[in-house]
Amino acid sequence: MAQHNLSTVIGFEFLRVVTKKRFWLTSLAVPLALAVVFALVFLSNAATSETAQAQADTQLVVTYTDDSGLITDAVAAAFGGSEAPDPAAAIAAVKDGTVDAYFAYPADPSTQPIRVYGVDKGIFENGAYAAVATQMLVLAAQQEIDAPELAAVVQGDVTVTSETYRDGVVSGGLDGVIPPLLFLVVFYVSIILLGNQMLNSTLEEKENRVTEMILTTMNPTTLIVGKVLSLFMVGLVQMLTFAVPVVVGYLFFRSNLNLPDVDLSHLSFEPGAIVVGTLLLLGGFILFTGTLVAIGAMVPTAKEAGTFFAPLMIMIFVPFYVVSLIVSDPRSLIVQVFTYFPYTAPVTAMLRNSFGSLSALESGIVIVELFALGFVALRLAVYLFRYGSIAYSKRLSLRDTLRRSRA
Amino acid sequence: MSASATVAEPLVHIRNFRMDFGTQTAVRDLSFDVFAGETFGFLGSNGSGKTTTLRALLGIYQPTAGTLHIAGKVFEPRDGARLGYLPEERGLYKKESVLDVMVYFGRLKGLGRAGATQWSRSYLERVDLADKADVRLDKLSGGQQQKIQLGVTIMNSPELLILDEPTQGFDPVNRRLLMDIIEEQKRAGATVIMVTHQMDEVERLCDRVILLKDGTAEAYGTVEEVQDLYGGTVVRVRCAGLLPASDLFDVARSDGDLADLAPRAGVDEAQILAELVRHGVQVRSFTTARTSLEEIFLRVYGTPSEPVGV
Ligand SMILES: Nc1ncnc2c1ncn2[C@@H]1O[C@H](COP(=O)(O)OP(=O)(O)OP(=O)(O)O)[C@@H](O)[C@H]1O
Ligand SMILES: [Mg+2]
């Protein structure tokens, strides 16, 4: 019976969202907005390459090997580069930090990638290596063929693969940061899109006086679990709605849109970070869902619920104010507080997980905390709905509810 | 096989029920039983604790003290498949279509999708709303929504039907329709508990009643028993001329040429008629009747009572 009711609730709740026109209008608005953003990014690309130029100008101590024979000593010297005797020694020098970077130029740079090895200086600085390596080649090519137009073509076709070292060990670099960061993106998107629906999920029963019918027909746990699961499904549908136009656009219009040719095989998927990221995402989702549903069950109207909504949303954004500290100094007090405070924990921990500064112990503690508090919040939501929502127009006193639920 | 005669177990059993809201006592000490198959009128003035009692019986409120049982145990939502409850606070999912909402509740009450759909369609036909099946609920009038809610209440052929002011919001035609539907359920064997302020409905439908006052039972029994308790028969006369003051009767009500006379203890109707004639009153009609429930209601609640609790 309970099983039957659960699937009935999920079916009803899911269908009544996805059969509404409004749902599809808002869902499709997001990919549309993304398209506009992409267009703007494309238009402002010129400005960005100037920034890369500026990065290239920062003086680095680099070594290189050149199979192409294009790089002249003069050009290399202009960039603070000197030819390395052999690749192995050059990489070793990067690992122990005596030089900033080592560039290995292939025999044919227009078809083979330039391999870049650098000391990990944080993801923003690391970009400079590739810029310098490319710049060196471009300048050399310009001198060689004395034809700037051709050199520009060379520049467009050059690819660079980078590897950075921290304490002598390969660090993921940007390619390693991106996959765990995707969990953060999913977290943000799902909370922002579904937050209001979570908050309002039991408000509808209260505002429309359906609670008494529900409470005498089924277990409130069934209702709330059913609602949460259907929200989850709605979220998945919505993500697919976003993803499909993006993927289609990328696959079929990449050349027209001049989108960068992202080679996904470069992304490094570190299993540990992926598992931790998944668990942080799930735990964070459960905690925020439980909390939002509980708030909805506690207050009489959507308007009052709104006053609680804003602070929660602020808490998922506030870690970004200290993002530079999270990246550079994860030991600092504020980062520690944000890592363990439940409502800033998901974002902070996911960021640190991406940058590889979340230890196994820390991730364990945060994950357990998120799941435990998430389930407590969901249980509380059931209690609040069960004993509180009949006081339709009254905000429920938490203490009163708990006292009564124990009776 | 038990040979001994057993007293029928009540379907609803309430003993020493007390309900406090904070410092306020809504129900003080209430006990009554409702037996299977009967129609029970639950009466009382506004705020006397009727809705509170029903909610506590159905587990929506936690009683402060006392026993509230249905079929020998505390009600649980999973027993909802055998219950039909029409709450005082009506409401359904407003943004969904009539049929979707009916089928949803039907399925929660254990019906199959096909069964629930079929039942809903024929019910809509009967209450003249067949063309509204695919319309959103908030596009219906108040009374039409009430009909849908009543349908949801009875669609699982409940054994126990609890109706909190069922006729609220109905026009006279639909009130008649609703009474017919309740009577049908009753004939089909349902036990009905009904809160209402319409005393004619009670007289027409109910076997037994309870009158709540100040959070406890003021009167409890069959309709006749309660009527007898409050003066039993009245003499209704249509006459010309002034009614004399007499120590045989009190004038319970006087309206134009129509008057209800309440006989004093030990006085019978013939003595009253003789007394009227003796005083030269021209009696056009003379009937005896039981005190109407409305009369009793006015008598019980007419005088402002002390606020409950505090
Ligand atoms: N949730 C609540 N919180 C506080 N007091 C309440 C609550 N529900 C009911 N009461 C109080 O309990 C008393 C009884 O209310 P109840 O709704 O049971 O009356 P009722 O007999 O159904 O009246 P009516 O005929 O107007 O429907 C009232 O004084 C009311 O103020
Ligand atoms: Mg009431």
Side-chain angles (χ1 to χ4, degrees), chain A residues 1 4-9 12-13 15-17 19-20 204-205 208-220 223 227 386-387 390-392 404-405 407, chain B residues 19 55 58-62 75-81 83 85-96 100-101 104-105 107-111 149 152-153:
Chain A
M1 191 71 191
H4 162 83
N5 277 353
L6 186 63
S7 57
T8 306
V9 171
F12 180 73
E13 296 285 340
L15 284 177
R16 77 202 188 100
V17 174
T19 52
K20 298 271 151 61
E204 181 169 14
E205 273 78 5
N208 289 333
R209 312 311 199 214
V210 197
T211 314
E212 285 186 77
M213 301 285 289
I214 293 289
L215 287 182
T216 53
T217 310
M218 71 172 134
N219 196 318
L223 178 80
K227 276 173 177 286
R386 176 85 182 70
Y387 295 106
I390 266 314
Y392 290 114
R404 253 194 271 164
S405 68
Chain B
M19 184 82 210
R55 285 179 177 166
L58 296 176
I60 296 165
Y61 286 157
Q62 288 282 316
F75 176 82
E76 286 175 53
R78 82 167 87 99
D79 308 326
L83 171 82
Y85 173 46
L86 184 68
E88 179 176 47
E89 298 258 24
R90 309 288 153 75
L92 294 166
Y93 293 95
K94 293 236 188 311
K95 296 194 170 67
E96 315 311 315
D100 283 353
V101 170
Y104 178 53
F105 277 102
R107 298 197 69 204
L108 290 178
K109 288 169 171 223
L111 271 62
Q149 188 124 27
V152 168
T153 309

Side-chain angles (χ1 to χ4, degrees), chain A residues 161-180:
Chain A
T161 64
S162 302
E163 202 161 275
T164 51
Y165 297 91
R166 171 177 300 179
D167 304 330
V169 184
V170 176
S171 62
L174 200 53
D175 294 339
V177 170
I178 288 174

